[in-house]
Amino acid sequence: MPSSVASAPRASDYKLENFRTNVQVKEDGLWTEIEIEENNAYVGQSVRNLINSQPGLSDADKLIIQRLAMKAFHIPGNSYWEDWVMFVRNNHILLSFFLSHPLHPFGRKERALNLVASLSFGLAATSSVTLWYYYNDKAMNETVISLFGAINISHGMITTAIFGGLCNVFFDFFIWFLQVCPLCQPGSPIADNLSDHTKFFWLWMGSNTAFIVTGVAICLALNVICIRASYEDDGDAEGYAHSIEDYSFLGSFFLEVIATQFIMFPIVAFTIFSGVLGCFTLPGLGGRPYQVNKMETRMRKQRQKESGPVEV
């Protein structure tokens, strides 16, 4: 008999109406999709009891959903390299569209919104750095550090990396947690104490807030693009750009995004994943080793609590 795997809840999962949804099940070791139809029921409730009235989510499934929602480096039972592959598949901004875990609470719609928000904010942030140099008559290409006499790191590169890069990372995390709402997902400490209406409200609120923030980011990016193109055209912010070449920085930006995601992302992500930045013991920077130790400590305490005091 095939075991059912229900997807983690999203705001769109809770609708008091007729619906038809795809559910992923594992049969003979392969993931397939079947179509389930219910009438007048909350989708969030029905997916827990799919296929022959079996529970939709086991305790292990709930733990996986929670770990994925928190962008965790370690999934219990995984080896070092399995955790690394799992992390890349679920967190790479492009590959995750096709390779994410079936239980991941982020669907393609949420990932598409996250991608648009990230690109818009990143373009606005990096272009704002350029405009700051324009306004203050400072040279972006002034070399600050020269490595091996061949690689020159300019003042503008450092400023763009710090302001544009770091701000973009924090913005991406903000949009992510707005949409996913880890406390509303199965496996969270309070999920079982929340009603479906409460989960729906916070998931709905987070999703719509993320949508509004993304809209603001798009408007900001378009405004900054026009101002920067005007500067590229004639050196001031008045008027409009007259040539398509004045928008050539857009092509450079998207090439940088591709290079960042397929070259820098694996390097930076693996550095953090390995835990070397936090000496394997600091939260966040301790990477997988810190999370493995934390998980083992928690499970050891839980086993001691369940076994009770030892009789002498």
Side-chain angles (χ1 to χ4, degrees), residues 163-193:
F163 178 76
L166 288 180
C167 287
N168 205 356
V169 168
F170 286 117
F171 179 80
D172 289 349
F173 272 102
F174 174 67
I175 292 294
W176 173 281
F177 286 111
L178 265 182
Q179 294 186 85
V180 77
C181 187
L183 290 178
C184 297
Q185 300 295 340
S188 78
I190 64 172
D192 293 337
N193 298 323

Side-chain angles (χ1 to χ4, degrees), residues 233-307:
D233 179 51
D234 53 14
D236 63 63
E238 301 297 330
Y240 302 94
H242 297 86
S243 173
I244 193 66
E245 295 179 356
D246 298 326
Y247 295 92
S248 60
F249 62 90
L250 292 176
S252 300
F253 171 78
F254 286 108
L255 287 176
E256 290 174 4
V257 169
I258 297 298
T260 299
Q261 290 301 316
F262 289 98
I263 299 176
M264 294 305 299
F265 174 83
I267 297 174
V268 175
F270 186 76
T271 302
I272 300 175
F273 174 87
S274 67
V276 294
L277 295 179
C279 299
F280 314 110
T281 58
L282 296 179
L285 295 178
R288 182 183 184 274
Y290 169 80
Q291 294 188 1
V292 170
N293 291 334
K294 185 177 179 181
M295 181 69 67
E296 290 176 348
T297 301
R298 182 189 305 170
M299 294 177 68
R300 184 167 56 251
K301 291 181 178 179
Q302 183 176 356
R303 286 195 297 268
Q304 291 175 351
K305 182 178 180 181
E306 292 175 352
S307 62

Side-chain angles (χ1 to χ4, degrees), residues 74-305:
H74 174 59
I75 302 295
N78 280 4
S79 66
Y80 190 92
W81 294 111
E82 286 174 340
D83 275 334
W84 167 241
V85 172
M86 178 78 76
F87 180 79
V88 173
R89 288 176 55 183
N90 289 283
N91 293 284
H92 191 281
I93 198 170
L94 299 176
L95 297 180
S96 59
F97 274 88
F98 313 101
L99 301 176
S100 61
H101 195 283
L103 286 173
H104 202 291
F106 247 37
R108 289 186 178 178
K109 292 181 181 179
E110 290 85 0
R111 292 187 185 279
L113 183 65
N114 202 51
L115 176 61
V116 172
S118 180
L119 292 177
S120 300
F121 184 86
L123 182 57
T126 54
S127 295
S128 296
V129 171
T130 303
L131 291 176
W132 182 85
Y133 279 94
Y134 282 146
Y135 277 116
N136 292 276
D137 294 324
K138 294 183 179 292
M140 287 189 66
N141 298 324
E142 179 182 351
T143 302
V144 177
I145 302 173
S146 181
L147 301 177
F148 311 109
I151 303 176
N152 296 324
I153 300 178
S154 66
H155 195 279
M157 292 172 64
I158 296 176
T159 308
T160 301
I162 294 176
F163 178 76
L166 288 180
C167 287
N168 205 356
V169 168
F170 286 117
F171 179 80
D172 289 349
F173 272 102
F174 174 67
I175 292 294
W176 173 281
F177 286 111
L178 265 182
Q179 294 186 85
V180 77
C181 187
L183 290 178
C184 297
Q185 300 295 340
S188 78
I190 64 172
D192 293 337
N193 298 323
L194 298 177
S195 66
D196 282 331
H197 291 281
T198 302
K199 294 175 185 177
F200 162 73
F201 172 77
W202 287 112
L203 287 165
W204 177 87
M205 179 68 73
S207 297
N208 283 275
T209 302
F211 186 81
I212 294 172
V213 172
T214 301
V216 173
I218 293 174
C219 293
L220 179 62
L222 292 174
N223 185 49
V224 173
I225 287 171
C226 292
I227 296 175
R228 181 173 175 181
S230 180
Y231 262 106
E232 297 286 346
D233 179 51
D234 53 14
D236 63 63
E238 301 297 330
Y240 302 94
H242 297 86
S243 173
I244 193 66
E245 295 179 356
D246 298 326
Y247 295 92
S248 60
F249 62 90
L250 292 176
S252 300
F253 171 78
F254 286 108
L255 287 176
E256 290 174 4
V257 169
I258 297 298
T260 299
Q261 290 301 316
F262 289 98
I263 299 176
M264 294 305 299
F265 174 83
I267 297 174
V268 175
F270 186 76
T271 302
I272 300 175
F273 174 87
S274 67
V276 294
L277 295 179
C279 299
F280 314 110
T281 58
L282 296 179
L285 295 178
R288 182 183 184 274
Y290 169 80
Q291 294 188 1
V292 170
N293 291 334
K294 185 177 179 181
M295 181 69 67
E296 290 176 348
T297 301
R298 182 189 305 170
M299 294 177 68
R300 184 167 56 251
K301 291 181 178 179
Q302 183 176 356
R303 286 195 297 268
Q304 291 175 351
K305 182 178 180 181

